Amino acid sequence: MKWKIHSERELYRDQWVHVTSADVELPDGRHLDHRIVRSAAPGAGAVVVHDDKVLLIWRHRFITDTWAWEIPLGSIKPGEEPAAAAGREFEEETGWRPGVLRPLLYTQPSPGLMTSAHHIFRADSATHIGPPKDSFESDRRAWVPLDDILGLVDKQDIVAGTTLAALLYTLADRTRRPAE
């Protein structure tokens, strides 16, 4: 059932993405002209939970013209470790420095179309260091109770795939671990 790429033709390239047209052979021998979007760099983000609340950013996504809560997430710089990138992005976008980060999950948000890969970490504390360096990233930041997450998903106030995966995994993890 493996699809085979016979050739690729470049359609577009810049510092963020590389778009190709691929001649793909399906398992039954048919060929398909498929688009592939290759990300320039993987991403890293963090879920910071303290007192059963998670720090989220409320932001507008101009492509879909929607507002929603998200975890801070951004590109990993060349030579940067994913955990360091997650901490840097969290601090730049929220003004809070996360405590010790540990791996939470790895996700490929849309593997049928793009190579985007996200390394997500979790911390159980954060220290406020001042206003966010990248204040243009969000309209506001808030400590949202974990008990409110499912309701926000139902209201479509949380819609980004990586944020959904990270927060739902955090909720699932909370139910399978004994209380400390």
Side-chain angles (χ1 to χ4, degrees):
M1 292 299 297
K2 184 175 179 177
W3 294 19
K4 298 176 191 166
I5 298 175
H6 287 284
S7 65
E8 285 188 54
R9 179 174 50 91
E10 183 172 287
L11 300 176
Y12 178 80
R13 179 188 293 265
D14 67 16
Q15 70 266 29
W16 293 295
V17 297
H18 178 198
V19 182
T20 64
S21 174
D23 172 19
V24 178
E25 182 181 343
L26 303 178
D28 66 5
R30 289 181 294 146
H31 282 252
L32 173 65
D33 181 26
H34 198 290
R35 301 301 180 266
I36 301 172
V37 180
R38 298 188 190 284
S39 300
V47 173
V48 175
V49 178
H50 182 68
D51 290 334
D52 267 348
K53 294 178 183 170
V54 60
L55 186 56
L56 299 176
I57 58 176
W58 179 255
R59 68 174 305 164
H60 180 257
R61 290 295 186 177
F62 72 93
I63 295 170
T64 55
D65 193 22
T66 56
W67 289 89
W69 291 107
E70 294 184 16
I71 63 168
L73 174 73
S75 294
I76 300 171
K77 295 178 180 178
E80 188 175 35
E81 290 297 318
R88 174 183 51 77
E89 288 290 340
F90 194 90
E91 187 173 318
E92 289 173 357
E93 294 182 17
T94 68
W96 289 77
R97 180 170 295 141
V100 176
L101 290 165
R102 62 185 188 281
L104 180 67
L105 65 92
Y106 167 82
T107 183
Q108 298 172 349
S110 190
L113 179 63
M114 61 180 37
T115 62
S116 182
H118 297 156
H119 301 267
I120 308 302
F121 295 84
R122 176 178 170 156
D124 294 318
S125 66
T127 304
H128 188 254
I129 58 168
K133 179 179 175 185
D134 293 343
S135 59
F136 62 88
E137 293 277 1
S138 65
D139 192 52
R140 67 183 189 270
R141 291 133 308 275
W143 287 96
V144 176
L146 285 172
D147 289 339
D148 292 354
I149 296 300
L150 293 178
L152 293 170
V153 171
D154 291 342
K155 289 179 15 183
Q156 296 181 0
D157 280 346
I158 298 175
V159 295
T162 297
T163 294
L164 283 165
L167 293 176
L168 294 175
Y169 191 89
T170 298
L171 289 176
D173 194 45
R174 184 171 76 155
T175 62
R176 70 179 181 182
R177 290 180 186 223
E180 296 179 15

